[in-house]
Amino acid sequence: MNEAIDFKIVEEPKKPLAMNPKKFGMWLFMASIFILFMAFTSAYIVRRAEGNWQLFELPKQFLFSTVVIVLSSVTMQLTYWSVKKELTQRVKPMILITFILGIVFLFLQWLGWEEMVGQSVHLVGNPSGSFLYIITGLHGAHIISAIAFLLIVLHKAFQNKFDSVQIEICTTYWHFLGVLWLYLFVFLTLLR
Amino acid sequence: MNWIIWLGAVLVLVILYMIFKIGNLVGLVKGKKDEEFSISWNNINAYLFMAFMVFGLIGFFWYSFAYFSDYDPPVASIHGKITDDLFWLTMWVTVIAFTLIFIVMFWFTFAYRYDKSRKAVFFADNTKLELVWTVVPAIVLALLILKGLSVWSDITSPASKDAVVVEMVGQQFLWMARYPGTKDKELGHHNYKLIDASNEFGLDLTDKNSFDDFKSLELHIPVNKEILMKIRAKDVLHSVFLPHFRVKMDAVPGVQTHFKFTATKTTAEMREELNNPKFNYEMACTEVCGRGHFSMKFPVVVDTEEDYNKWLASQQSWLSQNPEYMKYVPAELKEAAMIKAGIPLDNAVTVQTAAIK
Amino acid sequence: MATLDVHHQTEIQHHDDHGHDHEHHGNFWTTYIFSEDHKVIAKQFLLTGMAWALIGGVLSVLFRLQLGFPEANLSWLKPILGGWLDSNGKIDPEFYLALVTMHGTIMVFFVLTAGLSGTFSNFLIPLQIGARDMASGFMNMLSYWFFFLSSAVMFVSLFISTGPAAGGWVIYPPLSALPQAIPGSGLGMTMWLVSMALFIVSSLLGSINYITTVINMRTVGMSFSKLPLTIWAFFLTAVIGILSFPVLFSAALLLIFDRSFGTSFYLSDIYIAGEALPNQGGSPILFQHLFWFLGHPEVYIVLLPALGITSEIIATNSRKPIFGYKAMVGSMLFIAILSFVVWAHHMFVTGMNPFLGSVFTLLTLIIAVPSAVKIFNYVTTLWQGNIRFTPAMLFSIGLVSFFLTGGITGIFLGNSAVDIQLHDTYFVVAHFHLVMGSASFFGMMAGVYHWFPKMFGRMMDEKLGYLHFWLTFVGVYLVFFPMHYIGIAGFPRRYYSWTAFETFSGFADLNMLVSVAAIITLAAQFVFLFNFIYNIFRGKHAPANPWNATTLEWTTPRLPGHGNWPGEIPTVYRWPYDYSKPGSKEDFIPQHIPFSETPESNLPSENDQIKLELGGVGTKH
Ligand code: HEM
Ligand SMILES: [Cu+2]
Ligand SMILES: [Cu+2]
């Protein structure tokens, strides 16, 4: 059954690509996440329009976490610029700060949940509360994935490897989740 | 009447025979002559397509005309006649289109089968042609849509005020009908938390409209009067389906849906028309709901107005059949409840004491 | 079974376009099991898909036995079905529903999505656009293994004591949310949801890869207007997948929370098994909206690859350019967009706002126009062709025939007023089995027959292919055509038996015919299986370009190794449909032949491109 022909592959001249495939793949991945959250927010709107919708205060912690995530986007961008300008000694601290801000964001979200529990809004109960838990929870899960990604980049940085494409992708993803949170925050504030 | 099976079997056999007769399957095992492309096989396939087209169409038209009445449930509602007309209009339009394209397509496969001496024509596009066959179907569809939308908006428009109201409740695996009663003609409130073994509707007896509501295990409706069917479910999705009235509407727990229609033929008239003294209207469930989905039958009777009124008068309110539930009626409404429910007032004492116990 | 195809890879030094190093001293595991080679992954998808098709087919025959021969004693199936048969040898009604549910799920997702798209997108995208492999071989491998895991979970769920999910492939809650309502909604449903979540991950990984590859890795000269229609179809399919599967995920996630954590997204006012549930404020209809927002695009995810495959095969075997290439691409694009705005035509009688019903009627019937255009274009491609009936061609013509027959009935169903009577009857079953199920299945078969020589380097037997085709073609019509009549008569779907109603009791003959035809059709698939497996080992060696086709995959060696082309990847100069070009000696001119070499057949505009060609080649080196 050994009939395949052996052959050598001649090295190709690099083609001018529209975009790095990995970067492009990340954009597609973000598109699908975006759709996922569009589905949830649409479901939220549809369900809310049917009435029997319990009102409660959006926890103020979410406002703080919004600030934190915007800050973290700034530091992430600084990381990227540092790599671009090859200021490698600035990369590690910047990633570290971003990482910490990410954790703080998650912590604030958690406090937000505790605040909701304090208002007697539980996961089980009126869908208005359930939706909030699910949407913030799912967003948080994505933040965790971004933090994991960040850790990989950090790990490499400690080995003094700086893959600018990887860091760019990580930056893009981080910004995306920040913008996604902004959207969710505004959405949840306006449509109580 | 097993002939259909035979027909199918014979058809299959014929094909098998043709293939086996000419084909040489042994060649597969023995290793065959290296012919690149077999023109005779090509022709056989082309002829088979022709045969398929001709016999397929003949079978389709013949069976449809000969047996269609077996598959066309007689229609007995006003809107049903209209949707049936639309159905048949669509049928004619599409069957004509289907037949033409079917013939043309298989004719092409036959007529342009491989021929060494011919070269295919390099014909890559033709804007005019493509425009025509985009626009023509679009126009035909537009006409069908227009008709459809006007029918749809009639069917879904609000029912008139004096429509006869009936509530259908679906549960695993049976239907129940609730009538608003003869005194107030309004359905009483219900609440699923009040449901128990006897109070199957979850009637809320603090609402005075519920006193004369009654339950029925048959759907009785008067002929030529608008019926407003209110529909709900207790456990999972069900769907009300009245095939002869062209009525279908899901029953959804937590949501009330409705459908309005007017029956045009009484059960007796239909029996006469079909020459079938055993004919009965039926209601079925068309949303899968579990084990007994296939047997959620509910008998339906269309009465003349007179018979309907007689039937109405003979029905007893739910409360009068379950007098122990008087205890849920607020004290100030008790007397009204007994009058409305048709419980004789001299029973009042016993009912009261029962309630106290 | 991917082991059957041996690539000798140890000698290959692979230089990747994008600079990460693979280990190519493949042992058995990295070469066949955790391979990152798109061709091996394609075969893995194909074989898994075929296994599922067989399982799905057997399930359907089981429930057809019940419908066709309600009196029959099936005790001889006891060894397989065990407790699902009662003492009279009858299938249990709940098991009947489980069979229907699993059949639908398996066929729609595992066979016609993963088996079809997974196989041919993986196999053909790099080969036809001129790439060494997918953008990310690793993600591609993950995509298969997520699918495999998903398959494994679903497969195991078939054997658990409470049975697999049984609420229909659309898993409408509350039925799917409440184990009290049907036992299949217990563990079986949980496994269904887990399996589907894995499946969605697999599908997204695949789609991201397909899109990235098509956009970024085309060879020199392969502009979008020169892409074969197959690639257009796979590309649009992947786009639809990325936009719709996350929505199914959201629907499933909310259902998981309702089932396991007590939330009330879909549940409200339920009294079941003698108990009023606490859930209030949910809406079962919300689930249907979310589900069908995926569900309708999903039917095109299933169909478009099949349409792409047949476009290619019909053009090749008619020895003619596909008629109206631009219109074909345009209608696919239009269908892809419109498929997102018609979902509620599955919900006309759920009590939704009647005005919405009107809007969706309108949008639904608009989508019939591009479908019609595609049929006309196929038929015109046959006109004045020089048609060779290879098995692939037969199956492609079969697809067009089914697409026509089933598409026509969509026009009834799309009209909300007519749908009132037809919804959830066998008319719908007939509609979608013809237009989606059978058409896509035929597309898949056509693809296997056509690309088998490239996949395995050998030829399949043509005569067995004819036999397989004719039995299946006639069989499918005999199975699904009669269902229209039964459906018009009002017989509802998912009924265990029709005898409970006088209205539906008259179809014993037709139901028996359908069941017999179904059994024959399933049996015919074994002809194919034999042909397939036997010729992987013993088939005649395939020539490099057995069908005289124009696309790039036929410029590879008989059995391309990792990297696909020894030496350089060919440059593309022309569109893929230069068949029977006037003036040319051969009746086909492959895509990599420059116009400068074919002065005798060039059109005037093409002569102008010769200059560009020279320039293009020049800069390349
Ligand atoms: C000519 C264009 C088409 C129109 C107007 C159309 C219309 C419809 C409508 C209105 C329904 C819902 C029927 C009901 O449940 O009452 C339906 C069901 C369905 N259609 Fe189509 N359709 C078309 C083409 C297609 C195509 C091309 C496919 C697949 C590739 C497809 C697959 C399905 C499936 C799978 C269902 C049933 C799903 C289920 O209920 O389980 N349809 N179609
Ligand atoms: Cu049911
Ligand atoms: Cu649809």
Side-chain angles (χ1 to χ4, degrees), chain B residues 37 100 153 184 244 249 321 346:
Chain B
F37 178 73
L100 286 180
S153 77
D184 55 25
H244 301 94
M249 182 52 70
Q321 290 176 326
D346 47 341

Side-chain angles (χ1 to χ4, degrees), chain C residues 138-373:
Chain C
F138 178 70
M139 267 169 69
N140 210 13
M141 178 195 77
L142 275 189
S143 161
Y144 174 75
W145 286 102
F146 269 104
F147 168 53
F148 186 85
L149 266 181
S150 152
S151 292
V153 173
M154 193 65 84
F155 188 74
V156 170
S157 86
L158 288 169
F159 300 99
I160 60 181
S161 67
T162 47
W169 78 279
V170 298
I171 55 157
Y172 285 175
L175 184 60
S176 62
L178 305 172
Q180 306 95 303
I182 191 166
S185 293
L187 182 59
M189 191 64 217
T190 304
M191 294 177 79
W192 194 98
L193 288 166
V194 169
S195 168
M196 211 39 71
L198 294 169
F199 186 87
I200 292 168
V201 173
S202 154
S203 157
L204 288 177
L205 285 170
S207 298
I208 289 177
N209 233 334
Y210 306 151
I211 297 175
T212 312
T213 310
V214 171
I215 291 204
N216 292 309
M217 305 187 52
R218 282 164 289 129
T219 184
V220 178
M222 181 61 94
S223 62
F224 266 84
S225 59
K226 295 196 182 90
L227 279 186
L229 285 171
T230 35
I231 303 301
W232 269 107
F234 300 146
F235 175 71
L236 290 173
T237 303
V239 173
I240 301 178
I242 283 202
L243 298 180
S244 62
F245 269 110
V247 181
L248 178 65
F249 189 77
S250 70
L253 192 73
L254 296 185
L255 184 56
I256 289 173
F257 271 85
D258 272 6
R259 287 166 50 81
S260 306
F261 303 101
T263 53
S264 311
F265 293 109
Y266 305 136
L267 306 178
S268 188
D269 296 24
I270 292 171
Y271 178 87
I272 192 165
E275 186 193 3
L277 302 185
N279 309 69
Q280 271 184 295
S283 159
I285 307 298
L286 177 61
F287 176 86
Q288 298 185 19
H289 280 296
L290 289 172
F291 181 87
W292 285 114
F293 189 87
L294 156 93
H296 188 81
E298 166 66 20
V299 307
Y300 285 98
I301 290 178
V302 164
L303 185 69
L304 283 184
L307 290 178
I309 288 171
T310 42
S311 306
E312 192 66 23
I313 293 174
I314 288 183
T316 304
N317 290 296
S318 305
R319 314 310 296 161
K320 265 189 75 184
I322 190 84
F323 182 79
Y325 175 86
K326 285 204 188 103
M328 286 303 231
V329 174
S331 55
M332 280 200 282
L333 204 65
F334 196 55
I335 286 174
I337 295 168
L338 272 183
S339 72
F340 284 99
V341 290
V342 300
W343 78 88
H345 65 213
H346 298 273
M347 302 165 59
F348 284 139
V349 299
T350 53
M352 70 178 188
N353 184 328
F355 175 70
L356 272 185
S358 309
V359 174
F360 279 100
T361 293
L362 190 70
L363 292 166
T364 299
L365 291 185
I366 291 177
I367 211 172
V369 175
S371 309
V373 168

Side-chain angles (χ1 to χ4, degrees), chain B residues 183-184 204-213 317-323 325-345 348 351-352:
Chain B
K183 307 252 168 33
D184 55 25
D204 178 358
L205 291 167
T206 58
D207 176 15
K208 58 186 185 333
N209 286 333
S210 67
F211 300 151
D212 63 343
D213 291 2
S317 71
W318 180 84
L319 191 53
S320 73
Q321 290 176 326
N322 297 279
Y325 280 79
M326 280 300 290
K327 66 183 175 220
Y328 295 111
V329 178
E332 72 276 15
L333 291 175
K334 280 216 155 84
E335 199 173 323
M338 298 185 69
I339 295 172
K340 254 188 159 177
I343 304 175
L345 278 171
V351 170
Q352 299 268 339

Side-chain angles (χ1 to χ4, degrees), chain C residues 566-593:
Chain C
E568 271 178 54
I569 299 180
T571 300
V572 163
Y573 297 97
R574 58 178 77 228
W575 77 325
Y577 298 106
D578 267 348
Y579 288 108
S580 299
K581 208 157 179 206
S584 139
K585 295 181 291 296
E586 295 284 338
D587 68 353
F588 70 110
I589 310 175
Q591 281 193 281
H592 66 285
I593 306 292

Side-chain angles (χ1 to χ4, degrees), chain A residues 67 90 94 102-103 107 113 115 148 151 158-159 180-181 190:
Chain A
V67 175
R90 265 180 53 191
M94 278 303 161
I103 301 285
F107 182 65
W113 281 8
E115 162 89 25
L151 282 180
F158 272 108
Q159 296 173 339
L180 183 63
W181 173 253
L190 295 182

